[in-house]
Amino acid sequence: MPTDPAGLSTVDKMNLGLDDALAAARDRYVAAHPRSAALADRARRVLPGGNTRSVLHIDPFAFRVAGADGAYLCDVDGHRYLDLLGDYSAGLLGHRPTTVAAAVRARLDEGWALGAMAEAEIVFAEAVAARFPSIEQVRFTNSGTEANLMAIMTARHATGCDRVVVFDGGYHGGLLSFGPSGARVRAPFEYAVLPYNDAAAVERELADHGDRIACVLVEPMLGASGCIPATPVFLAAVRGGTREAGAVLVFDEVMTSRLSVGGAQGLLGVTPDMTTLGKYLAGGLTFGAFGGPRDLMAAFDPDAGGLSHGGTFNNNAFTMAAGAAVHEIVTADGLLDALTARGDGLRARLTEVFDASPLPFSVTGWGSLCAVHPVGGPVAAPADLAGADDRWRQLFFHDLLDAGFYLAPRGYLAVSATVTDDDVDRFVDAVAAFCDRHRATR
Ligand code: PMP
């Protein structure tokens, strides 16, 4: 490789611009967030890395929130951000939605931590069963992670088999992560980890091991690994193959249930055996659920000597009340369809901006769930992101934050219902300005 008199290779010189731009963006961030920096130092003494939810880590430290309202977050350093992250999709209704607040307030007057049953959990369960084609009966949990663990255990119980088929890059919770950093904290099941969107690999696995497979656990769109939608051919292979093998097909709709009243399964016309849920369904309160047909879920019927499914907070009074209230909102007036259309529109406009720019960027997703990638695309599987330069990802994050837009450092956005068309316009303009500012950065 050619070098100049300073000993820098051509590649080094090209990279200098990007390194410098990122260092400058970080310096600006540090200078603009002195109070957050002090809180981060304090947090590091009692929380590993100052953090209790890995995904919220920001390099060099996370800003700390002072308050949140509607589509906006304010930090302790006096900055106001348009929140395009929407609590990683749990914040579909924006911050402090009035109906959720009213449901919680009513509970405050009536008592919580009941240690007994109430009507609210029936109302919420009826709502969930009414929404999703695959759910006749449901059990509530405290998180999407727990819902997926319980769905796997239900399938193992029903089939008498142990093998769990999942997909490379799949994320089903803190203990069920099939991305690069998930292996050491993964719940120790017998897994087959297949490439996502690879119908032939699914057919092979089911043909070779079908009689040992408890379930296939799949996201209709790969979420944490980059908002990569499943192809119809892939899902048809998964649905047909599991049916033939007698394995349970579990759709993890923790993220995708927001795409329509019937979730992704309603839009795809593919009905799994079981579905897991989480995130926004309880208005931002702690929530998860797993459900399926009556005969499968009957395993948990205490009258029939069923399996135990404990959980002090499974029917948490606030969560149940909020869940019933959220159902009313998201099933009324086409709210979810409008949100999906707004997200699709945003992605189309970002694609135009990136296509017109020399920078290596593309955007994937479905409806209000999007991911910006520092690769030219197309992106159809996690392997297509192998060439991504993380410095571009970080620069995009810091520059957009500086311009007043909050999204995930990895480039993920979950647009909430409080984000307006004007907000979308301003964000697209800011992304175009980023592309323009860095058109010569390499
Ligand atoms: N499944 C998917 C598809 C998710 O996106 C998540 C959370 N990001 C989970 C499961 C886990 O949910 P929770 O964080 O509530 O445990």
Side-chain angles (χ1 to χ4, degrees), residues 164-172 176-183 186 191-198 201-202 216-219 221-228 234 380-386:
V164 176
V165 178
V166 290
F167 296 91
D168 187 27
Y171 184 83
H172 306 286
L176 292 166
S177 168
F178 299 90
S181 57
R186 196 174 289 156
Y191 296 108
V193 185
L194 309 183
Y196 193 74
N197 271 343
D198 187 336
V202 169
V216 175
L217 173 60
V218 63
E219 295 165 85
M221 173 177 73
L222 213 49
S225 284
C227 292
I228 300 171
F234 170 67
D384 296 327
L385 298 171

Side-chain angles (χ1 to χ4, degrees), residues 243-260:
R243 193 169 278 139
E244 211 166 291
V248 177
L249 174 56
V250 186
F251 270 11
D252 177 343
E253 291 234 40
V254 168
M255 268 197 195
T256 56
S257 72
R258 62 158 52 201
L259 294 172
S260 81

Side-chain angles (χ1 to χ4, degrees), residues 35-50:
R35 287 172 185 227
S36 291
L39 285 175
D41 281 344
R42 187 172 140 206
R44 277 191 201 98
R45 287 187 222 123
V46 282
L47 296 160

Side-chain angles (χ1 to χ4, degrees), residues 139-207:
R139 277 282 180 135
F140 295 119
T141 65
N142 297 278
S143 67
T145 306
E146 223 184 299
N148 281 310
L149 288 168
M150 288 307 299
I152 290 173
M153 298 312 293
T154 308
R156 281 165 45 116
H157 170 74
T159 60
C161 298
D162 290 336
R163 195 169 169 93
V164 176
V165 178
V166 290
F167 296 91
D168 187 27
Y171 184 83
H172 306 286
L175 301 174
L176 292 166
S177 168
F178 299 90
S181 57
R184 301 304 298 274
V185 288
R186 196 174 289 156
F189 293 109
E190 177 196 340
Y191 296 108
V193 185
L194 309 183
Y196 193 74
N197 271 343
D198 187 336
V202 169
E203 281 157 9
R204 246 188 338 268
E205 167 68 20
L206 285 158

